[in-house]
Amino acid sequence: MAPLLLQAVFLPIILSFIVYLVGRRVGGKVGWLSFIILLYSTLLILLAASMGPEYLEQYPWQPIGIFGLKIDGLSLPFAATIYLLSTVLAVYSIPYMEHRVEEMAEEEGKGEDYVKGRLALYHLLYLIYAAGMLGTVLSTNLIQFYIFFEIMLIPSFFLISEFGYGDRARISLMYFLWTHVGALILLAGILSIGILVGSFDFSVVAASRLPLTVTLWVAVAITIGLFVKLAAFGLHIWLPYAHAEAPTPISALLSPAMIGIGGYAFIRILLFLLPEAYQTVTLGAAIWGLVTMIYGGLMALMQDDIKRLLAYSSVSQMGYIIFGMASAYYLGVSGSVFQYVSHGTGKAMLFMVAGAIILQTRGVRSISHMGGLAGKLPLTAIGAMLGFLTIIGVPPLNGFQSEWMLFAGAIAGARALGSDLRFTISILALLSTPLTAGYTLWAMKRIFFGPRPEEMERVREAPPTVTIPILFLAFVGLILGVYPALITERLIPLMRIAFGVG
């Protein structure tokens, strides 16, 4: 058996050091090498997925027994989204990070060697970050999962602290502390499972039947730990700062790819390994998701900074994912997974649009200082509109398919359980969706239409390395909206089995 998944995870990590050495010589052009590495790794994932409904690789590793990597109906949408976005953003990073690092060099009075060294460091950290996210969703062992969970945290911390905006040292530290504390709470739950079961392997834990009184407390710890990563209401404090001040390519990975991994872990660990505890915690989680949806949408309406608007939008969208995964019904959970993919394509496009505007207007982020940019940035405006329509959930884009599944599943689940409270929560969640349309269309109007400020008259369209990645993701969103079976044909049968639905 060819080690397809092993290569996909570890080649970017191993080759990142070669990328660093090359980058010190050629500067930003090394981004093309990062792109080739990630493109090859993405093709490996798709090749592994083509070998059947489930593809598993196992390797002996003494610390945990078996090191496993697995593609199935649940992990494939997450893995494919992570590496698709990472590959596309490697191209986008070439012009954006050259501009950002040159800006930093000018501020500090540094020369060309500084620029090349910083760009080399960026791409080294970028590759490790992408591989850490992938390893997390392919893991078949709780300890292995946690190791990758931390691997994706460390490079993302340095990417913010070294290349971010504003008070990046303080913000990156806040980001690290919040997410690391959440990870430690998660670790407490993981270690409890391992001690009680005598193994950390997913298949062994799934076959065990622990007392509900024990697993409930473990499930609460895991839920809280993962909800920090998901930026659920009350645990979201770090996200608006980190996502707003991170360099834009990293914002476009933090928001669409990384934080949603908490949703994957919730489904994988609680639904598949601790199903009785899952049924117990879902009602509280569904309420928490509803509050997160509404709070994030209201806060997004109040923002003038384009990146902070998108950051609070991500809080709201994580509320959708939480609400769906807590629906206690196969269709709702499937919709939550699909929502991760839809949010991934749509929100990555929007952060890239924000970066294009920042790049072309020499750092303008205030929406009140924009206007009429559709005439100057037509391709960027098209990408923005398609990105906004995706997260609103307008057909035929993929956001419509995911939201339809999510809400239909939540309502069907409430009826199946005979719960009036769940039905009421589902209706309230459905009624909160116009908030998304409100802040997105209001932002679109203020940024791209109306009178154009005089200082924006000299703005020109971003280079193809910026606009083509945006439009490519729009094309992906359209394909998934028209043909959702690319996601659902493996996902829904797996979820039906998990819920015992014939």
Side-chain angles (χ1 to χ4, degrees):
M1 180 190 300
L4 302 177
L5 299 181
L6 192 69
Q7 288 185 69
V9 172
F10 285 101
L11 271 181
I13 296 175
I14 295 168
L15 296 179
S16 66
F17 298 97
I18 295 174
V19 168
Y20 176 77
L21 295 175
V22 174
R24 290 187 64 87
R25 289 182 173 272
V26 304
K29 292 183 179 63
V30 77
W32 290 109
L33 180 55
S34 296
F35 166 74
I36 292 169
I37 293 168
L38 289 167
L39 177 61
Y40 174 71
S41 300
T42 303
L43 294 175
L44 289 175
I45 293 171
L46 298 179
L47 179 59
S50 71
M51 294 188 174
E54 183 178 294
Y55 177 85
L56 174 65
E57 294 178 8
Q58 292 185 313
Y59 307 93
W61 186 38
Q62 191 57 44
I64 63 172
I66 295 293
F67 179 94
L69 298 167
K70 180 180 179 181
I71 283 280
D72 62 7
L74 175 59
S75 59
L76 178 58
F78 288 87
T81 301
I82 288 166
Y83 261 21
L84 174 68
L85 295 181
S86 298
T87 303
V88 169
L89 284 162
V91 177
Y92 180 89
S93 293
I94 296 170
Y96 190 93
M97 290 311 299
E98 281 186 350
H99 174 269
R100 174 59 186 147
V101 172
E102 287 170 1
E103 186 179 62
M104 294 169 65
E106 185 177 340
E107 291 172 359
E108 300 180 22
K110 303 288 187 177
E112 185 179 353
D113 289 342
Y114 170 87
V115 171
K116 289 181 177 179
R118 300 297 284 179
L119 288 170
L121 176 63
Y122 170 84
H123 285 284
L124 179 146
L125 294 170
Y126 182 88
L127 287 171
I128 297 173
Y129 177 40
M133 289 190 287
L134 179 67
T136 303
V137 301
L138 297 184
S139 295
T140 62
N141 180 290
L142 286 167
I143 293 298
Q144 176 190 340
F145 165 83
Y146 183 77
I147 291 170
F148 280 115
F149 199 78
E150 290 286 47
I151 286 175
M152 70 179 179
L153 170 61
I154 295 169
S156 60
F157 162 75
F158 284 109
L159 285 165
I160 298 171
S161 67
E162 296 298 316
F163 300 97
Y165 297 90
D167 190 0
R168 58 182 183 266
R170 181 182 65 84
I171 289 169
S172 61
L173 181 60
M174 177 176 68
Y175 160 75
F176 181 84
L177 291 176
W178 268 93
T179 52
H180 188 57
V181 168
L184 290 176
I185 297 172
L186 170 65
L187 179 61
I190 287 173
L191 292 177
S192 299
I193 292 173
I195 292 170
L196 292 169
V197 175
S199 173
F200 293 98
D201 188 83
F202 284 177
S203 60
V204 176
V205 176
S208 304
R209 283 294 175 262
L210 299 171
L212 181 59
T213 52
V214 175
T215 57
L216 181 58
W217 292 108
V218 172
V220 169
I222 290 172
T223 299
I224 293 173
L226 293 175
F227 275 28
V228 174
K229 181 68 71 177
L230 279 162
F233 173 75
L235 304 175
H236 71 283
I237 307 301
W238 60 273
L239 186 146
Y241 294 95
H243 289 205
E245 304 307 329
T248 300
I250 303 308
S251 297
L253 273 181
L254 281 170
S255 176
M258 190 195 77
I259 58 176
I261 290 174
Y264 166 83
F266 182 93
I267 297 167
R268 178 68 78 185
I269 296 175
L270 294 190
L271 175 58
F272 283 83
L273 306 187
L274 306 172
E276 294 177 349
Y278 166 83
Q279 295 290 343
T280 305
V281 302
T282 51
L283 179 58
I287 296 171
W288 206 341
L290 171 63
V291 173
T292 303
M293 290 167 61
I294 296 172
Y295 171 80
L298 290 174
M299 290 300 293
L301 276 169
M302 300 169 61
Q303 302 306 309
D304 183 60
D305 184 301
I306 186 172
K307 289 189 71 178
R308 285 185 71 86
L309 181 149
L310 296 177
Y312 275 110
S313 169
S314 293
V315 173
S316 180
Q317 292 296 306
M318 289 306 105
Y320 283 76
I321 291 177
I322 293 169
F323 176 75
M325 71 192 194
S327 64
Y329 194 69
Y330 78 92
L331 187 61
V333 178
S334 297
S336 177
V337 174
F338 205 153
Q339 182 72 6
Y340 172 85
V341 179
S342 300
H343 177 252
T345 55
K347 189 56 63 64
M349 288 169 61
L350 292 173
F351 269 111
M352 292 159 75
V353 164
I357 293 171
I358 293 168
L359 195 65
Q360 298 306 105
T361 60
R362 299 184 180 275
V364 176
R365 293 171 49 155
S366 172
I367 296 174
S368 60
H369 289 83
M370 301 177 192
L373 289 179
K376 295 292 184 178
L377 307 172
L379 295 178
T380 303
I382 291 170
M385 179 59 79
L386 291 172
F388 282 136
L389 293 178
T390 296
I391 65 171
I392 292 171
V394 175
L397 298 168
N398 53 349
F400 168 76
Q401 296 286 356
S402 60
E403 289 191 21
W404 176 85
M405 289 171 58
L406 191 154
F407 288 113
I411 293 171
R415 292 182 62 187
L417 294 170
S419 173
D420 292 338
L421 178 56
R422 281 185 178 273
F423 183 79
T424 302
I425 294 169
S426 300
I427 296 303
L428 290 174
L430 190 58
L431 292 175
S432 72
T433 57
L435 279 174
T436 305
Y439 69 73
T440 54
L441 297 179
W442 177 231
M444 186 76 192
K445 178 181 181 298
R446 289 184 293 163
I447 295 169
F448 291 103
F449 299 101
R452 185 164 51 241
E454 184 178 344
E455 59 269 25
M456 296 291 170
E457 289 296 333
R458 297 178 183 175
V459 173
R460 294 294 179 267
E461 186 64 89
T465 45
V466 171
T467 55
I468 291 176
I470 296 172
L471 297 178
F472 173 76
L473 289 182
F475 175 74
V476 171
L478 178 61
I479 293 297
L480 292 176
V482 173
Y483 191 59
L486 291 170
I487 301 295
T488 59
E489 67 181 356
R490 298 186 188 197
L491 174 62
I492 290 181
L494 182 65
M495 291 303 166
R496 290 177 69 93
I497 292 170
F499 281 96
V501 178

